[in-house]
Amino acid sequence: MKHLRIAGFIFAALLAMPSLRAQEPDAEGCRDHPMFNRMPKFYINECVNKEFDAYKFIVENSSEDRAKRTTVEGKYYELSYRLNEGVPEPSALQIFRNFENALKQAHATIVAKVVETNNSYSFITAKGVGNGIETWVNVNASGPEYQLVIVEKQLMEQVIKADEMLKALNDSGFIALNILFDTAKSTIKPESLPLIDQIYEMLQANPALKVSIEGHTDSTGTPAGNKTLSNSRAKAVVAALVAKGIAQDRLSFVGWGQDKPVADNRTEEGKAKNRRVEIVKK
């Protein structure tokens, strides 16, 4: 009996040892987002998955209530992780640094962050783009717990055809197009070349049509720099059309920079609308 009591005591003690404590199971139906591995010794205690929802991501380095935010809509994930009991607790700073490294490896851009010791409102906002999806991430941490909010925004494919462009020109006198360029350059991105093809088709099918290619930017940067950039981008579109065979005298170009906004430059959505190329009927 004595040996049995000792064995029972040792068995009970082993069960109580933190290092041998079993991993807590994840909440039913919850799993990690493919973008991230979880921190060691954490489990998912709660999750929310929605096919479509919206979240207001902080987009400036401020944890105050009035911090600038942008609303992102798309496939929505909310994951809450909790540390197993009896496991040494990592600092919130350690968790944030882990995610900063993970975001860099995923080639995501950190849009905004406040990471301060003893600041329970610390956060990281990041954005990544790939495979036609813009993925936004919010990270919050407080030692034994951390939370992720992830929204996957499907990027809209611009499929404006030549006949639709012509109709817009005849009805409104202009059409605004989201022609993409390399950052701070006038190089047209490959994904926008099909749009250039449609402009060409419209002009080729309507030989009497003359247009002005007009570039616009948001308010980021200086007014003078934005005017120069928008002018060079408009010129690049003209050059691409001339290279395809459109006569130079049918085309003119101008860059307006940030002078003619169509939306609020204080929001990311507004800035996106202001960065545009307009085709104007002459």
Side-chain angles (χ1 to χ4, degrees):
M1 291 294 294
K2 184 175 181 181
H3 291 297
L4 287 175
R5 288 196 193 99
I6 293 173
F9 174 79
I10 293 172
F11 180 71
L14 286 171
L15 286 178
M17 289 176 64
S19 61
L20 298 181
R21 189 181 296 276
Q23 171 73 29
E24 291 283 350
D26 292 337
E28 186 176 356
C30 297
R31 59 182 179 180
D32 298 314
H33 187 273
M35 192 172 182
F36 300 109
N37 295 322
R38 70 182 67 186
M39 291 282 292
K41 307 299 183 182
F42 279 81
Y43 66 97
I44 304 173
N45 70 301
E46 190 176 1
C47 70
V48 176
N49 298 328
K50 298 180 182 179
E51 281 302 312
F52 190 84
D53 207 344
Y55 186 81
K56 293 184 177 180
F57 289 89
I58 301 176
V59 291
E60 66 172 320
N61 300 330
S62 171
S63 57
E64 297 185 10
D65 289 340
R66 63 175 181 271
K68 187 188 301 182
R69 299 169 186 263
T70 188
T71 301
V72 181
E73 298 178 344
K75 195 167 185 178
Y76 179 94
Y77 303 86
E78 187 175 323
L79 295 161
S80 179
Y81 290 85
R82 184 171 293 169
L83 188 66
N84 282 315
E85 290 186 16
V87 175
E89 182 179 313
S91 67
L93 181 61
Q94 183 179 347
I95 295 173
F96 279 121
R97 292 290 182 257
N98 177 80
F99 276 95
E100 285 185 78
N101 290 331
L103 288 163
K104 289 178 182 177
Q105 291 175 9
H107 304 291
T109 301
I110 293 178
V111 176
K113 71 173 182 176
V114 172
V115 176
E116 298 172 342
T117 305
N118 299 323
N119 182 351
S120 59
Y121 294 100
S122 291
F123 72 93
I124 294 174
T125 298
K127 179 178 70 172
V129 179
N131 300 321
I133 296 174
E134 187 177 85
T135 303
W136 286 74
V137 182
N138 175 264
V139 184
N140 286 279
S142 58
E145 296 183 350
Y146 69 90
Q147 296 80 36
L148 301 176
V149 174
I150 301 172
V151 178
E152 296 176 347
K153 176 183 176 182
Q154 192 75 36
L155 296 177
M156 297 296 290
E157 183 180 358
Q158 196 168 29
V159 289
I160 300 174
K161 301 299 183 182
D163 56 347
E164 296 172 316
M165 291 183 191
L166 182 63
K167 185 178 186 304
L169 289 179
N170 289 332
D171 291 347
S172 304
F174 77 98
I175 183 171
L177 301 174
N178 186 27
I179 298 175
L180 303 177
F181 300 86
D182 289 347
T183 303
K185 296 180 181 179
S186 58
T187 305
I188 301 170
K189 284 183 174 289
E191 54 263 43
S192 286
L193 294 179
L195 196 51
I196 301 296
D197 291 339
Q198 291 301 311
I199 301 171
Y200 165 75
E201 286 189 23
M202 176 188 68
L203 292 168
Q204 183 73 1
N206 299 273
L209 180 62
K210 295 184 178 182
V211 297
S212 172
I213 311 296
E214 306 191 356
H216 301 265
T217 71
D218 60 28
S219 60
T220 304
T222 66
N226 286 334
K227 189 158 288 189
T228 299
L229 179 62
S230 63
N231 192 73
S232 63
R233 287 177 170 178
K235 184 178 180 180
V237 174
V238 167
L241 293 170
V242 169
K244 284 180 168 294
I246 301 299
Q248 178 76 63
D249 61 5
R250 296 177 61 193
L251 306 168
S252 61
F253 66 90
V254 64
W256 297 105
Q258 64 191 59
D259 292 349
K260 296 187 176 184
V262 293
D264 189 349
N265 272 310
R266 293 175 295 181
T267 68
E268 290 301 313
E269 295 93 338
K271 286 182 177 181
K273 290 179 180 178
N274 289 332
R275 295 189 297 268
R276 67 198 190 279
V277 172
E278 291 186 357
I279 313 299
V280 181
K281 187 176 181 180
K282 296 179 70 175

